[in-house]
Amino acid sequence: MVGVCHWLLLLSISLRVWSVPIDRNTNAQEEPPQMEEKGEENVDTGLYYDRYLREVIEVLETDPHFREKLQTANTEDIKNGRLSKELDLVGHHVRTRLDELKRQEVSRLRMLLKAKLDSTNTQSVQMDHVSLLKQFEHLDPHNQNTFEARDLELLIATATKDLENYDAERHEEFKRYEMLKEHERREYLRSLDQEKREREEQRLEEMKQKHRQHPKVNAPGSVAQLKEVWEETDGLDPQEFNPKTFFRLHGQSVEHDKFLEKVYDPKNEEDDMMEMEEERLRMREHVMKNVDLNHDRLVSLEEFLRSMEKKDFNSPKEWETLDDKKPVFTEVELQRFEAELRDKEVELSRRAETLRQEQEILRERGKALEAQKKEYQQAVLEMSQRQKDQQAVRRPPPSGPNGELQFQQESQSMAQDGSQVGKVLVDQNGEVRNSLPAEPPQNLPQHTP
């Protein structure tokens, strides 16, 4: 039976590659030395609990007892939860680490729930975490602190169910991508004049032919491919190829990158990396179709050995890439897709026009508010000026040095001057002195004696 990580991710993708130290003096027929983990490629499974799944797998693999039980377990033991009961016998440090992982996952799910509730403006005085966590099927919501056998059962069952439709969804996504690419290509050519269109069509055809010029790629799962891995990756003699040893080394988790590199190079304009990912998916499906004989999405050693007896398995037939296959979509599907795009364009145009009208209304409102603001500012200035004028009118007259008003001093002076009129001045000899002016004022009539 393949390892835990191999079993879970053979449901959808190969998670990692295994290799062993090479000993040139070791007979390939003998049991291989202890496997050492090579670099892991973190390919996302697409599951929202992908990280939790991977970390649980990694921790379980560190326990020798659990690994031993897994090697002797069968499909039913895994599916019916019998294997999960072995969790009670793993080491204390493993259980402690699993408990910690579960608490972290529960905490992460709580944050997701809170964010969801906040985004919907749902006001909740008291949040029932147990009820809310029930919507997540990959862990036991009633026990939020420790990782138990029930958690492992739920994790396996949920991952199996969630990954069943993974491939179909990926294929559909790729089909839409290819239809969009073809639609854009046709629209682009349509926009050119005849001479430019012919040149561009010739250039595109040359790129397509250049992409097809790549080394031979052996069919995935074939003896030719496995021997290539045996020799180039494991460094073993291809003449001493041993299926049992190969299975123990790789568990059918053969990484296809080295084969894909023969066809796709991210530096080349003619190579599409989205097509490379679809090619990877096709290779994996081909292997599972030829090896997983009972279609339970699990690969046993017995199935692996039996698959090697198939004619196709031993055939040196070259792998047919996407360029050698028919288009992934039909013309009818493309026309339906383009009609869908047109409908979306019409809807987007309608929304854009609505937004433009709303923007114009807001602009007019902004102008009105600006004008009203200026009117208010002018009114405030005028009111301030009137207040200044009123204060100036009510201001008291200026005062003298002793605090008296200046117009009182002037009145007193005038009164003193008036009191002197009609008074007779007497000198020291007792004679009356004329205090009138020597000459009569002008404009008065002159009288003769």
Side-chain angles (χ1 to χ4, degrees), residues 174-261:
F174 177 72
K175 178 191 289 188
R176 294 182 65 84
Y177 168 78
E178 288 290 292
M179 289 191 292
L180 178 60
K181 188 168 67 171
E182 176 62 18
H183 167 73
E184 292 178 344
R185 185 190 72 84
R186 294 183 182 185
E187 290 294 313
Y188 169 64
L189 293 176
R190 236 181 247 119
S191 66
L192 304 176
D193 57 44
Q194 183 175 357
E195 183 180 355
K196 290 182 179 179
R197 186 184 306 117
E198 291 176 354
R199 288 201 305 266
E200 185 64 16
E201 288 177 342
Q202 182 179 358
R203 186 186 72 86
L204 294 175
E205 183 61 28
E206 290 174 354
M207 289 177 57
K208 185 182 297 185
Q209 294 301 326
K210 182 180 178 182
H211 171 68
R212 290 178 175 175
Q213 297 173 2
H214 55 74
K216 175 184 176 181
V217 178
N218 292 314
S222 65
V223 172
Q225 188 208 45
L226 299 184
K227 285 186 176 180
E228 185 178 352
V229 175
W230 177 274
E231 180 181 8
E232 297 183 7
T233 302
D234 299 331
L236 301 174
D237 188 349
Q239 301 300 324
E240 299 178 352
F241 175 75
N242 184 285
K244 290 184 179 180
T245 303
F246 184 92
F247 186 81
R248 290 181 62 85
L249 290 175
H250 299 281
Q252 265 301 287
S253 179
V254 177
E255 182 55 55
H256 301 302
D257 273 353
K258 64 174 300 179
F259 308 109
L260 293 170
E261 289 173 357

Side-chain angles (χ1 to χ4, degrees), residues 11-13 45 160-177 179 277-278 281-282 284-285 297 328 333:
L11 297 171
S12 63
I13 59 174
T45 62
T160 303
K161 182 186 67 174
D162 290 345
L163 292 171
E164 283 180 350
N165 299 323
Y166 180 82
D167 291 350
E169 293 174 358
R170 288 285 301 273
H171 285 310
E172 184 62 27
E173 180 183 348
F174 177 72
K175 178 191 289 188
R176 294 182 65 84
Y177 168 78
M179 289 191 292
E277 292 304 316
E278 177 67 10
L281 180 59
R282 291 180 61 241
R284 178 170 50 78
E285 287 180 329
R297 302 183 72 87
V328 296
E333 289 176 323

Side-chain angles (χ1 to χ4, degrees), residues 100-114 133 139 144:
E100 182 182 353
L101 290 176
K102 181 174 181 181
R103 287 192 292 269
Q104 292 175 357
E105 179 69 0
V106 170
S107 177
R108 184 183 73 87
L109 296 178
R110 285 178 176 176
M111 292 179 62
L112 290 176
L113 290 170
K114 184 178 184 304
L133 287 173
L139 49 73
Q144 302 180 16

Side-chain angles (χ1 to χ4, degrees), residues 97-160:
R97 179 57 181 153
L98 291 174
D99 293 345
E100 182 182 353
L101 290 176
K102 181 174 181 181
R103 287 192 292 269
Q104 292 175 357
E105 179 69 0
V106 170
S107 177
R108 184 183 73 87
L109 296 178
R110 285 178 176 176
M111 292 179 62
L112 290 176
L113 290 170
K114 184 178 184 304
K116 181 178 179 180
L117 294 175
D118 291 344
S119 64
T120 55
N121 296 323
T122 302
Q123 301 296 330
S124 177
V125 177
Q126 186 174 3
M127 185 183 300
D128 187 353
H129 288 103
V130 175
S131 298
L132 293 173
L133 287 173
K134 285 182 179 179
Q135 60 187 292
F136 302 105
E137 300 177 347
H138 63 288
L139 49 73
D140 182 6
H142 299 285
N143 177 16
Q144 302 180 16
N145 296 312
T146 60
F147 189 97
E148 306 295 341
R150 178 61 177 162
D151 290 291
L152 185 55
E153 292 177 22
L154 292 173
L155 184 59
I156 293 174
T158 306
T160 303

Side-chain angles (χ1 to χ4, degrees), residues 89 140 260 327 349 359:
L89 302 178
D140 182 6
L260 293 170
S349 298
Q359 185 181 25

